[in-house]
Each structure stands twice: as C-alpha cells, then as structure tokens.
Amino acid sequence: MQLTVWTYEGPPHIGAMRIAASMNAVHCVLHAPQGDTYADLLFTMIERSERRPPVSYTTFKARDMGTDTAELLKTRVQETYDRFRPDLLLVGEACTAELLQDQAGGLAESMGLPIPVVPLELSAFSRQENWGASETFYQIVRRVLHAQVPAPGSAPRAPVSERCANRRPLANLLGATSLGFRCRDDVVELTRLLDSIGVDVNLVAPLGATPADIARIPEADFNCCLYPEVAASACGWLERMFKQPTVKAIPIGFGGTRDFLREIAALTGIDVSAAVAAGTSRLPWYSRSVDSTYLTGKRVFIFADATHAIAAARICSEELGFKVVGLGTYSRELAREVRAAAARYRVEALITDDYLEVEAQVAALHPELVLGSQMERHIAKRFGVPCAVISAPHHVQDCPARYAPQMGFEGTNVIFDTWVHPLMMGLEEHLLTMFRGDAEFHDEATPSHLHSPAKARATTPETVSVADSSPAADPAPAAGVVWSPEGERELKKIPFFVRGKARRNTELFAAERGIQTITVETLYDAKAHFGR
Amino acid sequence: MSGAAAADATLVRERAYPEPLREQGQCEVFCGLSAIVWLHRKMHDTFFLVVGSRTCAHLLQSAAGVMIFAEPRFATAILQERDLAGIADCHDELDLVVTRLLERRADIRTLFLVGSCPSEVIKLDLQKAAERLTKGPLGLGGGGRVKVLAFSGSGLETTFTQGEDQCVAALVPELPRLPAGERNLLVLGTLADVVEDQFRRLFESLGIGPVHFIPGTDTHALPPVGEGTIVLFAQPFFNETAGLLASRGARLLNTPFPFGVEGTLAWLGAAARAWGVSDEQFERVTAAPAERARGSLGRYREVLAGRRMTFLPDSQLEIPLARFLARECGVELLEVGTPYLDRRAMQPELDLFPAGVRLVEGQDVERQLDRVAAERPDLTVCGLGLANPLEAQGLRTKWAIELVFTPIHGFEQAADLAELFARPLLRSAALKV
C-alpha cells in the first residue's frame, strides 16, 4: 500500500479516456463501478470541453455483482455502438472491474461489431495515467495499421531525402492529447514552424484525429514525437514496422526549437539555417537586455512530467541564466532521461510520485522560483515562493483563452513572460535588500505587481507558516545550540530567501565545533566556511 | 404555528404519490467517498484514510475541485499489485500506513478507515482492521488517544451523500447512553457553522435543549442517545443512521427538510411539537425570521417564477429543493431525478410536491439527456461532468455539487438558495456575447 495525499497522475484508464477524448469517431467503454464517472469533469471543467468525453461506463453496483457484470458490459457495449456509431471502439477496465476478471476487452471483441474493437489491458494496480495514454494510443495505431505493415523482405523504404526529392516533406505530429499541457496551441505553432521551412503536416494525432487519419500515418516521411510520455511507444513501433524515422528533439525553448529544426534538416536535407537564424523569438534579446541581469543565478526548482522538466531545466540554465537547484519528475517511465539531464546541472534527480517528498525538497532547497505542475503551485504558495505551471496536471487557470504555446519560437516568448513574471522586478529586489526597515519594503512583501499571498496565508488554517520559522521547513536546531540576540538580529538582515539556509548552515557549523551560543562572529565564520 | 400546522395537515392527508419512473443505465453520480470532501472540514480532529486504488485518490482530488489545503485530513492507502496477492499481507501493510500517518499527524484523534470498491471486492474487512488497530499491538486506543472506526464509501454500495450516512452510522455505536428521564434533540447532517449557530439560537428561544449537532467538530465529545432523544434530520440521506438511532430508542421525526421558509417552519415545528413547545411561543420565535426570509426571497421569485427546470440525480437533495423551488419560487418542474427514493425520508416532501412532475429514480444518463435536449428546460441542475456540454447546447445549468458545499438551510439562507438557481439565468440575461 502506498500512502497518497495527492496524486500527479490518475489511474491508467484516465489515460485511455484522454486518448478517446482527443480523437474523433472513437468511443471508449469502461467497465467501472458507479462513481468512476467523476472523470468526465476533468475534461468538461479543466479544459472547458464543450462535449462530454466519448466514454460510456457500465457503472455496476453491488446488486449487479450478484447477477452478471459481464452481461452488463455486453449490454453497454451494444447500446454504445447503437447510439454513437463510432469508427473504432476502445474497451477497458477501471481498477475494480479488473478485479472481477470479466475480461471486458475480449468479451467485447467477441460480439462481432462491424468496427474495430480495441481491447485495453490497463494494469490498474501497477500503472498510471500517462502509461495508460501511451498504451491506448499504441494499441490504436497497431490495430488500425497492422494490415498495412510491409511483409518481411519487401523493398525497404527509401531515405527521407530521396522520397522528398521533388516535393515538400510530410510530417506527423504525434503525442498531443486532451488534458496535455498546452497541446492545443503547440500543434498550431509547430504546423506554422514546419510550414516556414517547407514541411507539411500530414496529420496530428491523437488530438483531432479519426481512425481514418491513423490509417494515413505511413504516408508521412517522418514522425515528430512531441510528447514521449504518450507517443514514444507508437513512434518506436512505426519505426520498426514501417521504417518511418522519428524526430526526437523536443521543440521547447530556443535551443530546443533550433535542435528540432536541425534534426529535421539532417533527415530531409532542407536548409534550415535561415529559419534558425531568423527565429521569431524575443527570448534571446530579452534575456540579454540589462533589465534581465537580476535573473542571474536565481535558484529554480523544477518538477514536472519528464518532457517539460527536461526542457525547462535547459531553458533556465542556458537561456535565462537561472541556477537549477532541483530537477525531478513523476514520469517514472522516463526517469533515465531526467537523471541524465539532472547530471548536467550537477543536481540529483528526484523521481517520485509522492507529493510530500517534493514538498520536503522544496523546503530544504529554498528556491526563488518553482516551475512545476498544479501540485507545485500549491507547494510554492505555502512557502511563499513564486511559481509558474509548466506541465500537467494543471488546472482551469492554466488553460488560457489566449494563444499560449510552449513549443516553437512563440513558445519561447510565452515562456519568458510566464516564468519571469512571478519574480520580483530587478530594481525592486535591490530596494528590498537595502531598505528592509521601510514600511513598504519588508521580507513579507510580495512583488508589487502581484497580489499579496501573505494575507491569504494568515487566514488559511491548515497552511504552515512561511520562511524560516516553519517547523516543516526548518528542523529544530541541534541540541544545545542557541542564538544570541545579536546573532539572531544579524540573521534577519540576510535576504529571506536564503535565510533558512544560512540558519541551518550556521547551526550545523556551531554544532560541529561545539559552539553553544551563536554570535555575530559565528554567523560570519560559518558564512566564510560555507561560502563558494 | 402555521408552518407546523401545515405540515401536520399534509401528514393526515396521506396522499399517495404516483410511482416514480425507474431507470437503469449509466449513472452519472459520485460515489460515497466524495462526502469526505466536506466531512473532513467539519470534523476537525478526524482523518479519513481511504483504502482503495489510485482512482479513489484521483476522485477525491478531482471532486474537491482545487487542492487548496496544505495537507488535508484525508488520504488514500493505494492498493498495489502485491497487496492483491494475499489478504494477510494487506493488514500488515495497513498497519504500516496507519503508523506512518499518525506519526505525521499528532493532532488526529479519530481515524476513519474508509472502504472503497476495490477493498470491498477483495473483501478486506476494515471493521476488523479498525478493531485490531484500536486493541491490537499498535494499541492506538490505549489512553483514548486515537479512535479507529470504519465505514464504506464504495460506489458499489453508496452514491455521493450516502458516504456521510455511512460515516455517521459508524459513530452511532460510539454515542454514550442518555440517562433515563433525560431528553435531548439530535440534529443530523453536516451544516455550515453559521447555520448551526442560527439553528442553535432558534432552538434556545423555543426552549428546546440540550441540542446536539452531528457530525460535529469534536469526535471525542459525542452526544448521548437514548429513549429521550428526538432526532431531526437536516439532510435527507440518513437511511442507515436512522435505523441505528431508532434501535437505540431514539424517536425519529418525519418532516420536510429545512429548505426555504415553508420547509424550515415545518422542520422546526416538528421539533417544537415533539418537545411540547406552545403554538404561541413557536409563532413568537419564528414569525420575524420567516417574514424576513419571505421578503428577501421575493427578489428571486421574480426571476424564477414560470421557469421550467429539470433535476438530474445527484445528492438526494433534488426532491426537497424542487419542492422549495416549485412552492416558494413558482418554478415549473419538468423532471426530478433522484439516485434512489427513500420513502421514509421523502414522504413528507412528496406530500407537498406539485402534481404532474415526472419523478425518476435511478438513472440512464443518455435517455435523461435525450429528454433534456427535447424539452430544453430553462435550467438543468446536474453534475460537473454534464454542465458545460449542456451549456454548449445553449442550455443553462446549475452545478448540483454547490448545493452540498454552500450554506442553504434555514430562514436566513432561503434567499441565498434561490439565488443559486437565479444566478445562471441572470448571468445569461446579462451576457451579450
């Protein structure tokens, strides 16, 4: 058993629902008990979807279990087909149904419906949402394309550059889903970007695709695996079966987008140097402008799905001049990639789906900015640290009405604005440090262009107090070590965002040397000792 | 004592209400676990540990809508593949989880183990686990430190608000015995603190007391129950608890629920009659607040009168709220759905129900939506999963879940309650986009 307060990912059948809800002419039947229909609201409320997700549930209850839940499933499958007439039907089980062992997928397959029925084995007690999405997308692709797989020994597919000698190359954009972070806008941005270098988009999937579109996947010259959490399995299979190459660079950030273009250039022989040079990103200049000097070395903590976490770390480090002090993901399937990225920034990757562990690390690291999911937004709020959401799971406020992609050159503009906005403006920060006694400039003051979370904090009963007095953030000092009043006063003059660390280091320093009372001298001795 | 008298008259009338239409199909309702979302806010010293799957954890955070609380007093012990291998294992695992949890939260004085669909299917006996945790080697019960209890919130057994019924039912054996010759009034159902205080003042003015509200904030100061106990239901979903209290000798009052002026008068009136309060005193205490409530209702009656409304099944509040809207706000009811029809609880409400309303028990959401699409009500009360898709069809909706989170009981909230239904209509009239 795993004690869980909040969960980053839902169970795997939520992933299956996301695929169904992304596509057109696909319906999903879930063998699930009454109550599991709650999942509909994720789509209709978070994404403000105008249609119900195309999912029907058996909603069995105790009394059905006395009779025949398998029969109930068959009834629901038939009713669903009759009512919705989809081109393809997914059939899966939520956790409780898996325990009943009705073999929902097999049963539905045996009903002889005149459409492809794709049974899903979702492993509810060991897997999670993104795996469920990946598995569902892969099964759909396999099912729709298995008849087209070239026979062994048939003529090999020509290299992309040869295939495209007399026409514009065709690309598939794979992995965008409903409830994915900014997928809606990312595919628009990338379609424009590809057009600008002379590449046409064959199709986007699963977002907006029909089963008939899936059947056209092999027509493209290559696939762009935009969100490996969802599309890596399918891309791998297409590579093996159809020798269809995959572009793996993730076009998030200025460097990421350029790498993406260069990878396509290498594959197709297109000259992208003009596009790379002319990129419509304002990020490089904004980042070099003197106003951004204050961003230098800002301590940033990143925790997200693997795709967005890795990209964010690179942007922070190479494009904004932040210092990455923590990097992690809840995407266990891509832990290796995140570990490799973390090594580049000399931090240890945090691979966990336990929100409390993430919170403990934020408390220990004292970052000045947190980039994460909705969970990290709440962690950051508790600690009074600025935060921007960069990944699912996200909430309704992160599904903006405006065009706000993360990918491509426009994505870099959006990212610059959203990540820099929560921070204190440069001059303001200096004033804060210099005139701490001023009524307007004090430790608890928040950036003047933002709402004050300090007041909200005080009235929320269950929030823990912020900064270095927090018991959660700051373990009790080693036994016997006390602060002299002068030492304590001097400590207060240290900027609040590093004060907790200074306190802990000084106490550690004192304890190691058997110093009973921390004076001003001890504080500066410790500072010199730990100084970089 | 006009309100109470009116309620009396309806009881005498014994009008048989037409049988509801029973539907079976896909049910679009939450399971009983969702009740934890408001129960944990009310019961300050209590922790709810769901023993279930990732789906349960996901449901709880989705139903809560926003994850606003730093560390809420609920969590899920997620069953994993290896737990499903053998039950003996599960109990050891549960001990570990509970130990870890209580180490973190020294403030917890009552721990509920909450059963779920998967824990029921694998027949994990949480009742026994609770006893073991209290008396066994962990000895949590020692010195009265932590009380461990169990109830089921599974979707196999419960819909939505029935979770609260199951939780309170689990508390009933813990209630001390009321000494013979003494009497008290027990009010059942989670109420907002402000509403509780309003009712307390009214009961005090009526000379009724002691009055206890359950569930309350302190689970180690539970009210006594016995032959002298009179039970008044503030919510319509306490079927299980009602039976248990009756078997402890308590007298259950059957009355309309305290929604709107009429409902509140009837509800207070039933208590007053049972307590032996004089008509004059009842009139003196209730006249002013009732009049004030009628006055403030008037504004919304103008908006709501003549509007056609449909309730999809959700929280069991559908019938009492529909009665309020029809009789006090002039709403024309097309269809009123309810997850299940509890005759004992609902008869006084049904006696007041306007004729010709289509009453539907159970659900086939597809057919129900077909009817909504055909009739195009001015307002449809429904769950969050359905609201936006209906709005996109140009239909106005009211989220049903707001009705369990918002203070809507009693005189002072009568207008607020009406406003909840009027708001989507006023908003729709205001928008020019």
Side-chain angles (χ1 to χ4, degrees):
Chain A
M1 277 180 209
Q2 185 195 8
L3 182 60
T4 304
V5 181
W6 303 121
T7 165
Y8 285 92
E9 295 181 65
H13 73 263
I14 300 291
M17 289 182 67
R18 281 173 53 193
I19 301 299
S22 303
M23 296 182 67
N24 293 319
V26 169
H27 204 96
C28 179
V29 172
L30 281 176
H31 199 19
Q34 167 178 269
D36 282 8
T37 50
Y38 78 88
D40 288 0
L41 73 84
L42 302 171
F43 300 89
T44 62
M45 297 305 292
I46 295 177
E47 258 186 1
R48 301 175 206 254
S49 168
E50 294 185 17
R51 63 165 192 166
R52 290 165 63 205
V55 180
S56 299
Y57 306 78
T58 52
T59 59
F60 57 84
K61 306 181 187 88
R63 65 158 186 268
D64 301 310
M65 291 169 61
T67 55
D68 195 354
T69 47
E71 204 50 46
L72 178 62
L73 173 86
K74 285 162 81 173
T75 309
R76 189 70 78 249
V77 167
Q78 189 62 49
E79 282 174 357
T80 300
Y81 175 72
D82 293 344
R83 178 177 280 268
F84 297 101
R85 298 277 164 172
D87 294 345
L88 182 146
L89 191 69
L90 299 166
V91 180
E93 295 168 324
C95 51
T96 309
E98 198 176 306
L99 296 171
L100 298 183
Q101 301 185 319
D102 283 337
Q103 318 296 345
L107 266 182
E109 252 186 319
S110 69
M111 287 172 62
L113 293 180
I115 51 165
V117 173
V118 179
L120 301 171
E121 299 278 339
L122 292 170
S123 311
F125 293 92
S126 53
R127 302 293 195 165
Q128 298 192 27
E129 177 179 334
N130 279 341
W131 182 88
S134 167
E135 173 68 10
T136 303
F137 183 50
Y138 165 65
Q139 293 297 347
I140 292 175
V141 168
R142 262 187 67 155
R143 177 56 192 264
V144 173
L145 291 176
H146 72 98
Q148 293 185 44
V149 172
S154 48
R157 196 176 160 108
V160 177
S161 49
E162 231 170 86
R163 285 169 56 97
C164 305
N166 300 310
R167 60 170 172 83
R168 282 160 66 103
L170 273 177
N172 295 319
L173 301 183
L174 302 185
T177 56
S178 185
L179 289 177
F181 192 71
R182 305 286 165 86
C183 289
R184 174 197 74 187
D185 296 343
D186 281 350
V187 294
V188 173
E189 183 62 22
L190 289 187
T191 303
R192 285 181 195 163
L193 180 70
L194 290 175
D195 179 57
S196 77
I197 61 164
V199 173
D200 288 328
V201 171
N202 180 47
L203 59 95
V204 175
L207 196 64
T210 62
D213 291 329
I214 300 293
R216 296 192 295 109
I217 284 182
E219 290 170 20
D221 301 298
F222 61 93
N223 294 312
C224 298
C225 181
L226 299 182
Y227 309 91
E229 279 87 348
V230 175
S233 306
C235 288
W237 186 80
L238 291 166
E239 229 172 72
R240 288 194 303 278
M241 297 297 147
F242 291 88
K243 308 293 173 233
Q244 200 175 22
T246 309
V247 169
K248 292 189 171 126
I250 306 292
I252 302 182
F254 189 69
T257 302
R258 298 222 285 191
D259 288 354
F260 175 75
L261 292 176
R262 289 188 184 118
E263 196 175 333
I264 292 173
L267 202 58
T268 57
I270 293 176
D271 180 5
V272 298
S273 53
V276 164
T280 52
S281 173
R282 290 190 188 89
L283 182 142
W285 168 239
Y286 271 42
S287 201
R288 283 175 193 282
S289 73
V290 289
D291 181 77
S292 295
T293 311
Y294 77 100
L295 300 175
T296 312
K298 285 273 183 204
R299 301 161 52 79
V300 56
F301 177 85
I302 302 164
F303 193 89
D305 67 16
T307 302
H308 291 90
I310 294 170
R314 179 174 177 192
I315 296 168
C316 286
S317 173
E318 297 178 7
E319 301 175 17
L320 297 172
F322 293 158
K323 178 171 173 52
V324 177
V325 295
L327 175 62
T329 186
Y330 57 83
S331 307
R332 284 182 187 276
E333 292 84 0
L334 295 168
R336 198 162 46 90
E337 287 79 353
V338 175
R339 285 207 178 89
R344 286 198 285 280
Y345 309 105
R346 297 196 174 77
V347 294
E348 196 174 328
L350 177 63
I351 314 292
T352 182
D353 57 5
D354 184 348
Y355 154 93
L356 296 174
E357 256 184 79
V358 180
E359 184 178 69
Q361 204 169 91
V362 173
L365 290 169
H366 291 273
E368 293 161 82
L369 176 68
V370 170
L371 300 176
S373 70
Q374 177 67 14
M375 308 286 189
E376 284 65 44
R377 189 208 290 279
H378 285 286
I379 293 172
K381 210 186 233 172
R382 279 188 62 198
F383 292 122
V385 180
C387 175
V389 171
I390 61 164
S391 147
H394 55 291
H395 256 238
V396 64
Q397 69 266 42
D398 297 302
C399 296
R402 68 176 188 282
Y403 181 61
Q406 298 290 289
M407 293 187 165
F409 291 124
E410 184 56 25
T412 64
N413 296 333
V414 171
I415 284 172
F416 184 92
D417 289 348
T418 18
W419 298 6
V420 167
H421 174 84
L423 297 169
M424 202 77 71
M425 282 179 283
L427 200 54
E428 194 173 20
E429 186 174 299
H430 294 305
L431 289 171
L432 181 66
T433 312
M434 285 178 70
F435 305 112
R436 67 180 58 262
D438 189 297
E440 283 179 30
F441 295 119
H442 53 87
D443 292 359
E444 295 291 304
T446 47
S448 59
H449 61 295
L450 300 180
H451 299 296
S452 166
K455 283 174 198 138
R457 236 184 278 139
T459 55
T460 310
E462 285 198 19
T463 51
V464 172
S465 64
V466 187
D468 55 350
S469 61
S470 153
D474 198 39
V481 178
V482 292
W483 285 78
S484 69
E486 300 77 34
E488 188 88 47
R489 267 199 297 280
E490 196 68 14
L491 179 71
K492 290 242 163 71
K493 296 176 193 165
I494 294 173
F496 65 92
F497 44 85
V498 290
R499 195 182 305 146
K501 192 170 183 187
R503 176 190 282 277
R504 276 176 293 121
N505 281 348
T506 309
E507 284 167 0
L508 185 68
F509 179 83
E512 277 171 8
R513 282 159 189 75
I515 297 170
Q516 302 289 314
T517 307
I518 297 173
T519 61
V520 176
E521 287 304 304
T522 324
L523 179 64
Y524 284 108
D525 284 345
K527 182 171 189 268
H529 175 76
F530 288 106
R532 298 166 206 180
Chain B
M1 187 164 173
S2 53
D8 247 356
T10 59
L11 285 175
V12 173
R13 209 169 0 142
E14 285 285 331
R15 177 161 62 99
Y17 198 79
E19 280 300 297
L21 172 67
R22 288 201 177 76
E23 284 198 325
Q24 273 192 21
Q26 179 178 320
C27 298
E28 193 87 9
V29 290
F30 286 141
C31 63
L33 294 181
S34 329
I36 292 171
V37 174
W38 64 87
L39 285 172
H40 91 283
R41 300 308 301 166
K42 184 68 186 183
M43 301 164 83
H44 295 175
D45 57 357
T46 302
F47 197 98
F48 295 83
L49 180 66
V50 177
V51 181
S53 63
R54 189 164 301 280
T55 313
C56 306
H58 199 237
L59 156 88
L60 275 176
Q61 74 186 41
S62 307
V66 279
M67 291 163 273
I68 36 177
F69 306 114
E71 198 180 330
R73 285 186 306 276
F74 62 77
T76 309
I78 296 183
L79 292 162
Q80 288 165 319
E81 208 106 272
R82 58 197 175 88
D83 300 311
L84 301 173
I87 298 292
D89 218 351
C90 265
H91 287 286
D92 294 345
E93 288 279 316
L94 188 58
D95 286 0
L96 285 175
V97 166
V98 168
T99 309
R100 186 181 161 205
L101 179 73
L102 294 177
E103 272 169 13
R104 287 184 59 85
R105 302 296 297 262
D107 53 326
I108 299 308
R109 301 185 66 211
T110 296
L111 173 69
F112 276 109
L113 303 177
V114 189
S116 65
C117 300
S119 82
E120 277 184 17
V121 169
I122 65 168
K123 305 212 181 322
L124 188 57
D125 189 342
L126 294 179
Q127 206 69 51
K128 201 167 274 173
E131 282 167 26
R132 194 191 62 248
L133 284 163
T134 308
K135 296 175 190 148
L138 282 177
L140 297 172
R145 192 169 82 79
V146 181
K147 192 186 309 192
V148 187
L149 300 171
F151 73 91
S152 169
S154 104
L156 301 172
E157 304 281 356
T158 61
T159 71
F160 200 16
T161 47
Q162 276 178 302
E164 179 167 343
D165 181 27
Q166 295 293 316
C167 173
V168 176
L171 284 174
V172 172
E174 306 296 311
L175 303 183
R177 173 144 290 283
L178 181 74
E182 289 184 23
R183 57 181 191 159
N184 65 355
L185 177 71
L186 209 55
V187 180
L188 250 74
T190 301
L191 294 172
D193 295 346
V194 59
V195 178
E196 219 176 276
D197 292 345
Q198 289 166 8
F199 282 145
R200 256 182 222 289
R201 285 195 293 271
L202 284 167
F203 287 126
E204 200 175 317
S205 310
L206 288 167
I208 299 175
V211 178
H212 305 282
F213 290 82
I214 187 168
T217 50
D218 184 353
T219 51
H220 280 241
L222 292 171
V225 63
E227 311 264 313
T229 300
I230 292 167
V231 181
L232 195 54
F233 295 93
Q235 299 280 26
F237 40 72
F238 284 105
N239 192 5
E240 178 97 8
T241 309
L244 292 175
L245 288 172
S247 70
R248 299 262 319 245
R251 178 180 161 203
L252 314 181
L253 298 183
N254 247 12
T255 145
F257 296 93
F259 302 113
V261 181
E262 184 183 35
T264 306
L265 274 174
W267 189 75
L268 291 170
R273 247 187 338 275
W275 205 267
V277 178
S278 73
D279 287 5
E280 296 70 42
Q281 192 175 357
F282 185 82
E283 185 64 28
R284 195 168 58 242
V285 170
T286 57
E291 202 41 47
R292 183 167 59 218
R294 281 192 200 99
S296 43
L297 255 179
R299 201 170 344 145
Y300 301 110
R301 191 186 161 90
E302 280 171 29
V303 182
L304 291 167
R307 303 289 194 148
R308 299 155 66 247
M309 279 179 59
T310 282
F311 279 81
L312 300 193
D314 196 74
S315 62
Q316 290 297 117
L317 293 175
E318 296 79 19
I319 292 173
L321 295 181
R323 176 266 302 161
F324 158 70
L325 286 166
R327 291 175 64 103
E328 294 185 53
C329 302
V331 162
E332 183 192 333
L333 300 172
L334 299 174
E335 172 168 332
V336 177
T338 184
Y340 59 94
L341 186 59
D342 176 357
R343 282 276 173 191
R344 185 203 62 77
M346 290 300 180
Q347 197 56 53
E349 289 287 351
L350 292 176
D351 290 338
L352 297 174
F353 230 50
V357 180
R358 196 166 59 239
L359 188 62
V360 183
E361 182 183 16
Q363 189 172 26
D364 180 333
V365 71
E366 302 298 349
R367 276 194 225 160
Q368 207 147 28
L369 291 175
D370 285 346
R371 292 196 292 271
V372 168
E375 292 178 327
R376 299 190 65 81
D378 295 310
L379 193 70
T380 304
V381 185
C382 63
L384 293 173
L386 300 173
N388 266 338
L390 288 174
E391 292 281 346
Q393 293 172 33
L395 296 167
R396 298 286 79 81
T397 59
K398 167 83 223 104
W399 308 347
I401 197 166
E402 205 173 347
L403 301 164
V404 277
F405 291 155
T406 314
I408 57 172
H409 293 73
F411 293 127
E412 312 306 337
Q413 280 68 237
D416 299 349
L417 177 56
E419 194 271 346
L420 287 178
F421 297 99
R423 196 185 308 169
L425 301 171
L426 292 169
R427 178 169 179 76
S428 156
L431 292 181
K432 304 294 177 221
V433 290

